Amino acid sequence: RLFDERSEAFTRLIDEAIGKAHHIGIKVGICGQAPSNYPEFAAFLVHEGIDSISLNPDSFVATIRHVAEVEQGLHPDADVTDTKDRLAEDIEC
């Protein structure tokens, strides 16, 4: 309750870190509970161009589906159906 990853201060920090890292060619990933617990935070990370997101196993499928929908909105001509199908096959294995 003392900290909320969705606060404006934290999201500004994440935005700046991703932008500056990408500017010099560094990829950015994040781990922690926030993308698993808050779909809107996962969407924020996608909009900011995050390169990888660590997820809790119990939220993996739902969050991947949500991320694919957000990516589809950002890139309407891209085919994310193949990505979702491939991930679903990997999960079943």
Side-chain angles (χ1 to χ4, degrees), residues 44-62:
F44 160 75
L45 293 171
V46 172
H47 281 279
E48 295 305 314
I50 195 88
D51 297 294
S52 66
I53 300 173
S54 174
L55 301 170
N56 294 338
D58 63 332
S59 70
F60 180 78
V61 173

Side-chain angles (χ1 to χ4, degrees), residues 26-38:
I26 297 173
K27 292 186 176 191
V28 180
I30 191 168
C31 62
Q33 294 280 133
S36 296
N37 291 347
Y38 308 113

Side-chain angles (χ1 to χ4, degrees), residues 66-80:
H66 182 67
V67 165
E69 290 170 5
V70 172
E71 287 179 343
Q72 182 70 44
L74 290 174
H75 310 285
D77 295 333
D79 182 11
V80 295

Side-chain angles (χ1 to χ4, degrees), residues 17-26:
I18 292 171
K20 288 186 176 191
H22 284 174
H23 181 73
I24 59 173
I26 297 173

